[in-house]
Structure formats: C-alpha cells, structure tokens
Amino acid sequence: MQNSRPDLFPTVTTLTLLDPNLFNYVRTVQGNTYKDGKLLGKRVLMLGLSTEDYSNVKNTYDTLTVINVAEHTQSIFQHLENIYYMLKPGGQLIFHFKSEAHFTWFILKWI
C-alpha cells in the first residue's frame, strides 16, 4: 500500500505525524507503513509530541487529521485551541473521536 497510489495527493509533499507515543509505535509495530520515513511516496516528518505540546505552531498546516486523540488529552480545550491555531486560514480538520455509543467522524473547515 505504501507506494501504491502516490497520485492520490499530488500537491502534498510532506506529511507530519504528531503522537507522544509515535516512536514506540514505529519501533514495535511490524508492518508499519511509514517506518522508513515515507508514506504513499511522500516524505513523513515524525514528531513525538501531542497537540497540547504544540502551542507555538501557528498557521502551518493545510489539513490536520486527528484520530482517537480527544479521549487521551489532559485538556480537550487546549487540544482544540492548538489545532485551530496550527491550521492555516481556511484549513481543514478531519476529526474522529470514540463515543460510548458509536464512532463519529467530523470534517470541519476553519474559516
């Protein structure tokens, strides 16, 4: 899958992954598709941080994908505020959180 469809995102040059447990995941999970620093033919920048630690980054990302993170944060409000400021004006947030009843997906566009 890693290089099967590099044409899916022709304007993307780099993917940035933020996860406090990222390096443990890369080290221990066999078959990790971005272990070599590439995903779908794109460069992957891996940062072992959470969005709560990333408060100094402003207007950097066109799109953020946040999957199953909200339930692991110390402060959901700080988490969401940092995401808002990390996005460029008009950026998109693809957001998923686990609820007790079912899984929910949201795609939000910040104006």
Side-chain angles (χ1 to χ4, degrees), residues 51 75-85 93 95 110:
T51 56
S75 169
I76 186 66
F77 300 109
Q78 186 66 54
H79 167 71
L80 292 172
E81 182 178 3
N82 288 353
I83 286 172
Y84 175 80
Y85 287 113
L93 170 62
F95 186 81
W110 300 106

Side-chain angles (χ1 to χ4, degrees), residues 58 60 66 69 87 89 96:
K58 307 286 189 239
T60 303
V66 182
V69 175
L87 285 167
H96 175 266

Side-chain angles (χ1 to χ4, degrees):
M1 172 177 154
Q2 181 173 348
N3 292 311
S4 61
R5 294 290 313 270
D7 61 319
L8 281 177
F9 308 101
T11 61
V12 173
T13 57
T14 303
L15 301 167
T16 303
L17 303 177
L18 298 175
D19 185 337
N21 199 34
L22 181 66
F23 296 111
N24 183 53
Y25 178 81
V26 168
R27 191 173 50 253
T28 60
V29 174
Q30 293 182 347
N32 178 297
T33 57
Y34 49 84
K35 191 172 195 168
D36 66 350
K38 295 266 187 194
L39 181 64
L40 295 173
K42 309 298 181 181
R43 187 172 81 94
V44 174
L45 175 62
M46 293 182 269
L47 302 174
L49 300 168
S50 73
T51 56
E52 293 166 300
D53 300 325
Y54 230 58
S55 61
N56 61 336
V57 176
K58 307 286 189 239
N59 299 324
T60 303
Y61 301 104
D62 296 311
T63 303
L64 289 174
T65 304
V66 182
I67 301 172
N68 295 340
V69 175
E71 62 268 22
H72 300 288
T73 60
Q74 296 287 329
S75 169
I76 186 66
F77 300 109
Q78 186 66 54
H79 167 71
L80 292 172
E81 182 178 3
N82 288 353
I83 286 172
Y84 175 80
Y85 287 113
M86 290 166 74
L87 285 167
K88 292 179 182 177
Q92 294 183 84
L93 170 62
I94 301 170
F95 186 81
H96 175 266
F97 68 92
K98 192 168 30 172
S99 71
E100 292 183 21
H102 61 282
F103 291 98
T104 307
W105 279 96
F106 291 100
I107 299 179
L108 304 173
K109 184 164 177 142
W110 300 106
I111 297 175

